Amino acid sequence: MTALDLSSPVAVVGTGTMGQGIAQVALVAGHPVRLYDAVPGRAQEAAAAIGARLDRLVAKDRLGAADRDAALARLTPAGGLADLADCALVVEAVLERLDVKQQLFRELEEIVAEDCLLATNTSSLSVTAIGGALGNPGRFLGLHFFNPAPLLPLVEVVSGFATDVTSATRAYETARSWGKTPVACADTPGFIVNRIARPFYAEAFAVYEAQAADPATIDAVLRESGGFKMGAFELTDLIGQDVNESVTHSVWQSFFQDVRFTPSLAQRRLVESGRLGRKSGHGWYDYAEDAERAEPHTAEKERPPAYVVTEGSLGPAAELLPLIHEAGIQIREEDEDHGTRLVLPSGGQLVLADGQTSVEFRDVVYFDLAFDYRKATRIALSASNDTAQQTLAEAIGLFQALGKDVSVVGDVPGMIVARTVARIVDLAHDAVAKGVATEEDIDTAMRLGVNYPLGPFEWSRRLGRGWAYDLLDDLHLRDPSGRYAPSLALYRHAYATDQREGTP
């Protein structure tokens, strides 16, 4: 099944930001495009706005003047739905209400040809439920673009329960012919990105609610240690707290209030107070011109230890050893295999976050996971009130000697980056096991849709098959609510590896 021919007209119903963006994508790709909006005059306004954006592309030498003129000649505001009768694809981007969308597509079904593809750009409603109102739901599917549609490459091609394979394939190939990167997924709450991304926000909020760290510190650790482009607090301020919470609430409700997707009470209070982020001038952060910039907690300078003792492999943190050596700190090796730990001159231990807490052990400081320990500019440490000050000082001094800023956070199991990555990996494995999407498409979606440094399965391979399971299993013991219970898919993944390696 091939993509739609460029001579085939494409219609966009709904001319808000997303509708205009989708129309621009189809238009620049070479299709005749019809714009329709139920509000009189809106389609003409949208056509003018698209023309202005094309003018800006010409001014920036990203589009030729002749190509702009040809595109504008193919753009037509429609006076009514009947003007869409000859279209080969109609994409809807109207109000996120099931009844509104169902009524629209019932009307379209009576107008367009039998082989016309019908698509919704919904991000929160069930594609199956919208298509269920149609006489022929086989040609109905989701085409979920990301905002701004002309710039972001990802398109989730969502098959409802009744969507024909031929329809999904044609839509997939059409999106690819438009220069987009399509990924195929089944109709599940949140599709790929909004389902698997929930822990990125939820775990940051949970650390904050536990009073383990402030938003600026958590964001800095996610960026400077985790390798994420933005922290959870600044990103939700950019998205809009109301928008982000609405998506979280929709996924939670759609999964029958599954505890793994429980919304944040702190975020709810933020929305209730009207602090919606950048658009309201205040969210987690204050955006007033005279507001003082929130800075992350950074530890004062400490002397580095003269040496460290390694006991066994450092696992995912093994790249720390050459950094310690390059910093001129002596490394002494012991034969004992205690996993991911260093022993400091004070006798205290420095351990990679594993889902346990410092208070459970004598003199232990935990350090967080990093995307790349060499490139990381900040490392988070956690300790309990019982941890010796000398041990904490030596741990701080060690990472400072490696050129890192250090943030000391509260004694929360799994810290910040580690628990976030583990939960993302878990949800990804669960999604594959339930037929939502392939590993490759999930990795692609999370890199392109939310700009993660690695896809979940790339993280999983880098960290080791059993890493996420072990961390979440330890977290689940300390929080038996079910939020951190590893999925059966992750358990099978880790257990199969153990069996191959001969573990009984």
Side-chain angles (χ1 to χ4, degrees), residues 233-238 277-291:
F233 297 90
E234 57 188 339
L235 181 55
T236 53
D237 267 359
L238 179 64
R278 288 182 178 271
K279 63 185 178 183
S280 70
H282 204 305
W284 295 110
Y285 300 107
D286 186 349
Y287 295 96
E289 289 186 9
D290 58 350

Side-chain angles (χ1 to χ4, degrees), residues 88-352:
L89 167 65
V90 180
V91 184
E92 162 274 316
V94 302
L95 187 66
E96 284 286 273
R97 273 181 45 186
L98 179 61
D99 59 336
V100 172
K101 293 179 188 289
Q102 287 178 328
Q103 179 60 33
L104 169 64
F105 283 110
R106 277 194 292 262
E107 294 178 23
L108 284 168
E109 193 173 37
E110 299 298 319
I111 294 169
V112 299
E114 291 184 0
D115 60 350
C116 175
L117 291 176
L118 299 176
T120 174
N121 184 57
T122 185
S123 61
S124 60
L125 298 176
S126 165
V127 171
T128 301
I130 300 171
L134 301 180
N136 176 20
R139 60 169 166 177
F140 182 78
L141 67 148
L143 279 177
H144 182 217
F145 290 77
F146 288 74
N147 191 28
L151 296 180
L152 295 187
L154 185 69
V155 178
E156 293 176 317
V157 182
V158 186
S159 292
F161 188 77
T163 303
D164 292 336
V165 172
T166 53
S167 298
T169 303
R170 172 154 283 187
Y172 183 99
E173 293 300 331
T174 298
R176 185 157 65 177
S177 74
W178 292 355
K180 295 301 180 182
T181 302
V183 292
C185 67
D187 183 23
T188 184
F191 309 141
I192 297 175
V193 173
N194 280 331
R195 172 178 175 154
I196 295 174
R198 295 340 305 155
F200 180 75
Y201 313 108
E203 294 313 305
F205 298 161
V207 172
Y208 168 76
E209 289 173 339
Q211 300 186 55
D214 60 274
T217 299
I218 296 169
D219 277 354
V221 172
L222 286 168
R223 288 194 314 269
E224 300 173 38
S225 182
F228 295 97
K229 296 298 182 183
M230 297 181 75
F233 297 90
E234 57 188 339
L235 181 55
T236 53
D237 267 359
L238 179 64
I239 294 169
Q241 297 302 330
D242 52 340
V243 174
N244 181 261
E245 193 213 23
S246 177
V247 173
T248 299
H249 196 270
S250 174
V251 172
W252 175 63
Q253 289 284 21
S254 298
F255 276 114
F256 307 105
Q257 300 186 358
D258 186 329
V259 68
R260 294 176 303 166
F261 301 101
T262 301
S264 162
L265 181 59
Q267 188 179 40
R268 175 91 288 264
R269 293 292 179 257
L270 206 65
V271 173
E272 289 174 339
S273 70
R275 294 187 171 186
L276 305 182
R278 288 182 178 271
K279 63 185 178 183
S280 70
H282 204 305
W284 295 110
Y285 300 107
D286 186 349
Y287 295 96
E289 289 186 9
D290 58 350
E292 185 176 346
R293 178 184 173 87
E295 296 293 341
H297 166 75
T298 302
E300 297 294 331
K301 189 70 175 175
E302 299 284 357
R303 294 185 60 182
Y307 66 89
V308 295
V309 179
T310 63
E311 295 185 347
S313 168
L314 285 182
E319 61 182 318
L320 280 175
L321 294 179
L323 298 181
I324 294 171
H325 176 75
E326 291 165 17
I329 298 172
Q330 183 184 5
I331 300 174
R332 303 176 184 176
E333 296 183 6
E334 296 287 346
D335 292 334
E336 297 181 53
D337 186 0
H338 292 288
T340 53
R341 85 176 193 182
L342 296 169
V343 180
L344 299 164
S346 64
Q349 301 171 36
L350 187 57
V351 182
L352 176 63

Side-chain angles (χ1 to χ4, degrees), residues 381-399:
L381 304 179
S382 69
S384 73
N385 292 333
D386 295 331
T387 303
Q389 287 301 307
Q390 181 61 27
T391 298
L392 181 58
E394 289 176 347
I396 293 170
L398 173 65
F399 282 103

Side-chain angles (χ1 to χ4, degrees), residues 398-412:
L398 173 65
F399 282 103
Q400 289 174 337
L402 306 186
K404 319 298 183 188
D405 288 329
V406 175
S407 293
V408 180
V409 304
D411 189 19
V412 287

Side-chain angles (χ1 to χ4, degrees), residues 8-11 32-34 83-90 112-113 115-117:
S8 303
V10 171
V33 173
R34 313 274 169 76
D83 294 341
L84 313 184
D86 64 337
C87 289
L89 167 65
V90 180
V112 299
D115 60 350
C116 175
L117 291 176

